[in-house]
Coordinates of all heavy atoms in Angstrom, one line a residue:
A23 N 145.5 10.3 -49.5 CA 146.2 11.5 -49.5 C 145.7 12.5 -50.6 O 145.5 13.6 -50.4 CB 147.7 11.3 -49.5
R24 N 145.6 11.8 -51.8 CA 145.1 12.7 -53.0 C 143.7 13.2 -52.8 O 143.4 14.3 -53.1 CB 145.3 11.9 -54.3 CG 146.7 11.6 -54.7 CD 146.7 11.2 -56.2 NE 146.1 9.9 -56.3 CZ 146.7 8.7 -56.1 NH1 147.9 8.7 -55.8 NH2 146.1 7.6 -56.2
S25 N 142.8 12.3 -52.4 CA 141.4 12.8 -52.2 C 141.3 13.7 -51.1 O 140.5 14.7 -51.2 CB 140.5 11.5 -51.9 OG 140.9 11.0 -50.7
T26 N 142.1 13.6 -50.0 CA 142.1 14.6 -48.9 C 142.5 16.0 -49.4 O 141.9 17.0 -49.2 CB 142.9 14.1 -47.8 OG1 142.5 12.9 -47.4 CG2 142.8 15.0 -46.6
A27 N 143.6 15.9 -50.2 CA 144.2 17.2 -50.7 C 143.2 17.9 -51.7 O 143.0 19.1 -51.6 CB 145.5 16.9 -51.4
S28 N 142.4 17.1 -52.5 CA 141.6 17.7 -53.4 C 140.3 18.3 -52.7 O 139.6 19.2 -53.2 CB 141.1 16.7 -54.4 OG 140.3 15.7 -53.7
S29 N 140.0 17.9 -51.5 CA 138.8 18.4 -50.8 C 139.2 19.6 -49.9 O 138.2 20.2 -49.4 CB 138.2 17.3 -49.8 OG 139.2 16.9 -48.8
V30 N 140.4 20.0 -49.8 CA 140.7 21.1 -49.0 C 140.3 22.4 -49.7 O 140.5 22.6 -50.9 CB 142.3 21.2 -48.7 CG1 142.7 22.5 -48.0 CG2 142.7 20.0 -47.9
G31 N 139.8 23.3 -49.0 CA 139.4 24.6 -49.5 C 137.9 24.7 -49.9 O 137.4 25.8 -50.0
H32 N 137.2 23.6 -50.0 CA 135.7 23.6 -50.2 C 135.1 24.1 -48.9 O 135.1 23.6 -47.9 CB 135.2 22.3 -50.5 CG 135.7 21.8 -51.9 ND1 135.3 22.3 -53.0 CD2 136.6 20.8 -52.2 CE1 135.9 21.7 -54.1 NE2 136.7 20.8 -53.5
A33 N 134.4 25.3 -49.0 CA 133.6 25.9 -48.0 C 134.6 26.3 -46.8 O 134.2 26.5 -45.7 CB 132.5 25.0 -47.4
G34 N 135.9 26.5 -47.1 CA 136.9 26.8 -46.1 C 137.1 25.8 -45.0 O 137.6 26.1 -44.0
V35 N 136.8 24.6 -45.3 CA 136.9 23.5 -44.2 C 138.2 22.7 -44.5 O 138.4 22.3 -45.6 CB 135.7 22.6 -44.3 CG1 135.9 21.5 -43.2 CG2 134.4 23.4 -44.0
T36 N 139.0 22.6 -43.5 CA 140.2 21.7 -43.5 C 139.8 20.4 -43.0 O 139.3 20.2 -41.9 CB 141.3 22.3 -42.7 OG1 141.6 23.6 -43.2 CG2 142.6 21.4 -42.7
P37 N 139.9 19.3 -43.8 CA 139.5 18.0 -43.4 C 140.4 17.5 -42.3 O 141.5 17.8 -42.1 CB 139.6 17.1 -44.6 CG 140.7 17.8 -45.4 CD 140.5 19.2 -45.2
R38 N 139.7 16.6 -41.4 CA 140.5 15.9 -40.5 C 141.4 14.9 -41.1 O 141.2 14.3 -42.2 CB 139.6 15.1 -39.5 CG 138.7 16.0 -38.6 CD 137.9 15.2 -37.6 NE 137.1 14.3 -38.4 CZ 136.4 13.2 -37.7 NH1 136.6 13.1 -36.5 NH2 135.7 12.5 -38.5
A39 N 142.6 14.6 -40.5 CA 143.6 13.7 -41.0 C 142.9 12.3 -40.9 O 142.5 11.9 -39.9 CB 144.8 13.7 -40.2
P40 N 142.9 11.6 -42.1 CA 142.3 10.3 -42.1 C 143.1 9.2 -41.5 O 144.3 9.3 -41.3 CB 142.2 10.0 -43.7 CG 143.4 10.7 -44.1 CD 143.5 11.9 -43.3
Q41 N 142.4 8.2 -41.0 CA 143.1 6.9 -40.5 C 143.4 6.0 -41.6 O 142.5 5.6 -42.4 CB 142.3 6.2 -39.5 CG 142.0 7.0 -38.2 CD 143.2 7.1 -37.4 OE1 144.0 6.3 -37.4 NE2 143.3 8.2 -36.7
V42 N 144.7 5.7 -41.8 CA 145.1 4.8 -43.0 C 145.6 3.5 -42.4 O 146.5 3.5 -41.6 CB 146.2 5.5 -43.8 CG1 146.6 4.6 -44.9 CG2 145.7 6.9 -44.3
A43 N 145.0 2.4 -42.8 CA 145.5 1.1 -42.4 C 146.8 0.8 -42.9 O 147.0 0.9 -44.2 CB 144.5 0.1 -42.7
T44 N 147.7 0.3 -42.2 CA 149.0 -0.1 -42.7 C 149.4 -1.4 -42.0 O 149.8 -1.5 -40.9 CB 150.1 0.9 -42.4 OG1 149.7 2.2 -42.9 CG2 151.4 0.6 -43.0
G45 N 149.2 -2.6 -42.8 CA 149.4 -3.9 -42.2 C 148.5 -4.1 -41.1 O 147.3 -3.9 -41.1
A46 N 149.1 -4.5 -39.9 CA 148.3 -4.8 -38.7 C 148.1 -3.6 -37.8 O 147.6 -3.7 -36.7 CB 149.0 -6.0 -37.9
R47 N 148.6 -2.4 -38.2 CA 148.5 -1.2 -37.4 C 147.9 -0.1 -38.1 O 147.8 -0.1 -39.3 CB 150.0 -0.8 -36.9 CG 150.9 -0.4 -38.0 CD 152.3 -0.3 -37.5 NE 153.2 0.2 -38.4 CZ 153.8 -0.5 -39.5 NH1 153.5 -1.8 -39.5 NH2 154.6 0.1 -40.3
T48 N 147.5 1.0 -37.4 CA 146.9 2.1 -38.0 C 147.7 3.3 -37.7 O 148.0 3.6 -36.5 CB 145.4 2.3 -37.5 OG1 144.7 1.1 -37.8 CG2 144.8 3.5 -38.2
E49 N 148.1 4.1 -38.7 CA 148.9 5.3 -38.5 C 148.0 6.5 -38.9 O 147.1 6.4 -39.8 CB 150.1 5.2 -39.3 CG 151.0 4.1 -39.0 CD 152.2 4.0 -39.8 OE1 152.2 4.7 -40.9 OE2 153.1 3.2 -39.6
L50 N 148.3 7.6 -38.3 CA 147.6 8.9 -38.6 C 148.3 9.5 -39.8 O 149.5 9.8 -39.8 CB 147.6 9.8 -37.4 CG 146.8 11.0 -37.5 CD1 145.3 10.7 -37.5 CD2 147.1 12.0 -36.3
A51 N 147.5 9.8 -40.8 CA 148.0 10.4 -42.0 C 147.7 11.9 -42.0 O 146.5 12.2 -42.1 CB 147.5 9.8 -43.3
I52 N 148.6 12.8 -41.9 CA 148.4 14.1 -41.9 C 148.6 14.6 -43.3 O 149.7 14.8 -43.8 CB 149.4 14.9 -41.0 CG1 149.3 14.4 -39.6 CG2 149.2 16.4 -41.0 CD1 150.3 15.0 -38.6
A53 N 147.5 14.7 -44.0 CA 147.5 14.9 -45.5 C 147.2 16.3 -46.0 O 147.2 16.5 -47.2 CB 146.5 13.9 -46.1
S54 N 146.9 17.3 -45.1 CA 146.5 18.6 -45.6 C 147.7 19.3 -46.2 O 148.7 19.4 -45.6 CB 146.0 19.4 -44.4 OG 145.8 20.7 -44.8
P55 N 147.5 19.8 -47.4 CA 148.6 20.5 -48.1 C 148.9 21.9 -47.5 O 149.9 22.5 -47.9 CB 148.2 20.6 -49.6 CG 146.7 20.6 -49.5 CD 146.4 19.7 -48.3
T56 N 148.0 22.4 -46.6 CA 148.2 23.7 -46.1 C 149.1 23.7 -44.9 O 149.5 24.7 -44.4 CB 146.8 24.3 -45.6 OG1 146.3 23.5 -44.6 CG2 145.8 24.3 -46.7
I57 N 149.5 22.5 -44.4 CA 150.5 22.3 -43.3 C 151.8 22.1 -43.8 O 152.0 21.1 -44.5 CB 149.9 21.2 -42.4 CG1 148.5 21.5 -41.9 CG2 150.9 21.2 -41.2 CD1 148.0 20.4 -41.1
S58 N 152.8 22.9 -43.5 CA 154.1 22.7 -43.9 C 154.8 21.5 -43.2 O 154.2 21.0 -42.2 CB 155.0 23.9 -43.7 OG 155.3 24.1 -42.3
G59 N 155.9 21.0 -43.7 CA 156.6 19.9 -43.1 C 156.9 20.2 -41.7 O 156.8 19.4 -40.8
L60 N 157.5 21.4 -41.4 CA 157.8 21.7 -40.0 C 156.6 21.8 -39.1 O 156.6 21.4 -37.9 CB 158.6 23.1 -40.0 CG 160.0 23.1 -40.6 CD1 160.5 24.5 -40.7 CD2 160.8 22.2 -39.7
E61 N 155.5 22.4 -39.6 CA 154.3 22.4 -38.8 C 153.7 21.0 -38.5 O 153.2 20.8 -37.4 CB 153.3 23.3 -39.5 CG 153.6 24.8 -39.5 CD 152.7 25.6 -40.4 OE1 152.2 25.0 -41.4 OE2 152.5 26.7 -40.1

């Protein structure tokens, strides 16, 4: 999440949400700080 946040804004590119392994399952991590909680 931290590394994704730090990369936002470079060349105006918003990174794709990374896949984060959690135990035996994989969840989508929406880490961009430009997206509000409601969005």
Side-chain angles (χ1 to χ4, degrees):
R24 287 194 298 270
S25 63
T26 304
S28 66
S29 64
V30 173
H32 293 290
V35 178
T36 300
R38 291 184 303 169
Q41 295 289 329
V42 181
T44 306
R47 62 190 187 279
T48 302
E49 298 176 351
L50 189 65
I52 302 176
S54 172
T56 63
I57 303 177
S58 71
L60 289 172
E61 288 170 331

